[in-house]
Each structure stands twice: as structure tokens, then as C-alpha cells.
Amino acid sequence: MRKIILGATTLLLLASCNGQKAKIDPFKSLTNLVDSANEATDSIESDSVQEVPKPIKADETFDDFIFSFASDIKLQQKRIHFPLTFINGKSVSKIEQEFWKKDNLFTKQSFYTMIFDKESDMDLMTTTHLKSAKFEWFYMTTNKIKAYNFKRENNGAWMLSSISISSINSNQNENFLEFFHKFASDSIFQRSRIHEPLTFVTTDPDDDFSILETTMEINQWFAFSPDLPTVRLSNINYGQSNSDESNTKIVAMKGLGNGFSNTLYFKRQKNQWEFYKFEDLSN
């Protein structure tokens, strides 16, 4: 993963006629949790030592849980309803505990992504009243979704209740996953789908607690653009919609322990997706 770091000189050149607003990073708590999880030793992989079960906090958030679940095999075994229901289209089967292997979800990657239909959906990340949530993989080449479906028990514990694989229904409009796959892997196509000038939001070099909003030309985007995922997108679903009918999409990319933070904003114009806003809050 290539980290995007803009020098102060470049920022000042781009920042003419800019506005300022408070710096907001809705992914800060998630990243801190991943950093802590990645510092754990390999001893958690051993099944030879029996540990006292960890106490379950009634106010445990889904963010706290999902990273512990992905990094701790012993906790993972305790937080799955076995036999686990596995749904693949119309086929339903059961996975017995003895056949379950540790699933790291996205914690072994250098970054993760989150997908939203609109900016207001990002507020769901901070809610403390969730009863259900999902970790999802969106497969761009096959238009499939693999969802890990979690439910919160009466005692406050999050439990994996099922895993499901389903297809994304396409309509007459351009499918976003198909578009993003081509956008990420074909630079000529990408150039044709960028609004110019591209709105650009980045950290103020003179004030770490505020950001600048300006514009950049297409060639500047290609000079500073991150490496985009081309196979699958991860997502933590707190209840936000992810509809193919939506005419706006947000793809947030957050590094794991490397300070990388980029967000790409898209809108559908005349049945075609267009990239219109780029946010780089890397540090």
C-alpha cells in the first residue's frame, strides 16, 4: 500500500481559495483498536493452554468486539453459535466447531475499507444501541457479498449467528461494484470518470486540527492517488444502507497502523458513476 503524504509546498499551491472546517476522523477508534490487536503475541494461537473466560461487558461496543474476534482464536471459538449456519444462495448447511478455522477477517491487511451510501450514515459508527451488525466482503468481479451476521445477546455478548453469500441485484443503472473494479484497474477508464476540477480535502499544514478544501486537476490526482483495491472491498455494516439504487457512494480507506486515511466520493450522473471528491487525511 502506497502512503499518500503531501508536502507543505504542494498543499499551499493547491489551497488557494480554500475553506476551513474542523478535522473529523470517524475511524480513529477503529484504528486504535486494530493497532492494539496487532501488538498481541502469537501465544493466542495456541490451544494448549486453557484460560479463564474473559468477562463479558454489557456495554461492549461492536468495534471493541470485532477486532478482538478477528485476532483472538480462543475468543472467536467462544463467540460463534455452533453448529454455525452457512447460507450460500438457496443452499443451507451447518459448520461444526471441529471444522472451524480461525478467520482473521481484514486484520492481516494493510488497510480496510468501509462503504456508505451517504455521509450521514457515518454517524452510525458511534451508536451504542446496536442489536445486530455485519462484517462484509464485497467481491467486485462476481457481484457477490459474503456477510458475517452478528447478533447481540441479552447478556451484552456479540455472537456470530450465521455466514451468508448472496448476489447483488443489478438494475438498468450502472452497478457500483462493477464500476469501481474497472475504475481501480483501468487508468484510461478512470480518467474518463473523474469530475474536473476534483474537489480535494486535506489536512491544513499549519493547523493539525483543521482541514483545507480546495480542488485539484486530473493529473494531480494521478500523482497523489492511492493504490485502489481491485478484487474485494471490506465493510462493517452498523445498519447503513448499501443499495444499488443509491446515486451516491462513499469508499473510505483506512490504514492499519500506518496513518493512511483516504476517502473517495462518487455520484451517479445520467446512469454513469463519477468520482467527484477526494479526501486525504493521512498523517
Side-chain angles (χ1 to χ4, degrees):
M1 160 65 62
R2 176 155 56 87
K3 206 172 178 180
I4 308 303
I5 302 178
L6 303 181
T9 302
T10 303
L11 289 172
L12 292 175
L13 288 174
L14 291 174
S16 59
C17 302
N18 64 75
Q20 292 191 359
K21 53 185 177 181
K23 179 181 178 181
I24 300 173
D25 185 359
F27 304 98
K28 184 177 181 180
S29 62
L30 295 177
T31 305
N32 290 339
L33 288 166
V34 173
D35 293 345
S36 299
N38 287 341
E39 291 172 0
T41 65
D42 291 337
S43 62
I44 62 175
E45 301 287 349
S46 174
D47 291 326
S48 60
V49 179
Q50 296 297 321
E51 295 180 352
V52 177
K54 296 179 181 180
I56 296 173
K57 297 181 180 179
D59 59 348
E60 183 182 77
T61 67
F62 188 70
D63 288 349
D64 292 330
F65 164 73
I66 194 64
F67 291 108
S68 296
F69 179 88
S71 59
D72 187 336
I73 182 59
K74 294 179 180 178
L75 176 64
Q76 192 170 114
Q77 290 276 353
K78 294 183 179 83
R79 294 302 189 88
I80 299 175
H81 277 307
F82 289 111
L84 180 66
T85 300
F86 182 78
I87 305 168
N88 188 353
K90 295 181 179 180
S91 174
V92 180
S93 58
K94 297 287 185 179
I95 302 175
E96 300 292 342
Q97 185 169 7
E98 62 188 291
F99 297 112
W100 178 262
K101 295 182 179 180
K102 183 186 177 185
D103 193 327
N104 294 308
L105 301 182
F106 61 95
T107 58
K108 296 299 183 180
Q109 298 185 162
S110 61
F111 72 96
Y112 62 94
T113 59
M114 297 186 69
I115 307 168
F116 303 91
D117 279 355
K118 53 186 182 296
E119 288 190 72
S120 59
D121 284 347
M122 291 182 175
D123 295 338
L124 291 169
M125 296 176 61
T126 59
T127 183
T128 58
H129 304 294
L130 295 178
K131 297 299 181 182
S132 62
K134 298 179 181 181
F135 172 76
E136 300 171 312
W137 284 118
F138 289 80
Y139 294 92
M140 290 179 278
T141 58
T142 60
N143 268 341
K144 298 284 188 180
I145 302 176
K146 183 178 183 180
Y148 297 71
N149 305 300
F150 294 90
K151 293 186 181 298
R152 194 168 189 170
E153 307 283 283
N154 291 335
N155 62 0
W158 285 101
M159 300 290 293
L160 177 61
S161 59
S162 67
I163 295 177
S164 59
I165 298 177
S166 58
S167 299
I168 298 174
N169 295 323
S170 299
N171 55 27
Q172 69 273 18
N173 295 323
E174 185 175 50
N175 177 277
F176 181 74
L177 287 186
E178 292 176 344
F179 156 77
F180 191 87
H181 171 65
K182 192 171 183 179
F183 182 87
S185 55
D186 184 338
S187 61
I188 296 176
F189 177 79
Q190 184 178 128
R191 181 178 290 272
S192 71
R193 294 300 186 89
I194 300 175
H195 180 82
E196 192 171 18
L198 179 67
T199 299
F200 178 49
V201 178
T202 192
T203 306
D204 187 339
D206 298 320
D207 184 355
D208 290 338
F209 296 96
S210 64
I211 60 176
L212 302 174
E213 182 169 320
T214 182
T215 60
M216 63 164 51
E217 297 177 355
I218 291 180
N219 287 337
Q220 290 173 319
W221 155 255
F222 281 103
F224 300 125
S225 62
D227 293 328
L228 302 176
T230 59
V231 177
R232 62 182 184 176
L233 296 169
S234 64
N235 187 46
I236 299 177
N237 193 317
Y238 302 88
Q240 70 265 30
S241 64
N242 200 329
S243 171
D244 193 49
E245 301 294 332
S246 175
N247 289 321
T248 55
K249 291 287 183 181
I250 301 169
V251 177
M253 303 168 59
K254 190 68 175 180
L256 303 184
N258 58 15
F260 174 75
S261 179
N262 279 186
T263 307
L264 283 63
Y265 296 79
F266 300 87
K267 59 185 176 182
R268 185 152 40 197
Q269 300 276 35
K270 297 180 180 179
N271 292 333
Q272 290 189 337
W273 286 102
E274 178 183 63
F275 175 41
Y276 73 94
K277 180 180 176 182
F278 172 48
E279 182 177 272
D280 181 1
L281 299 181
S282 301
N283 54 45

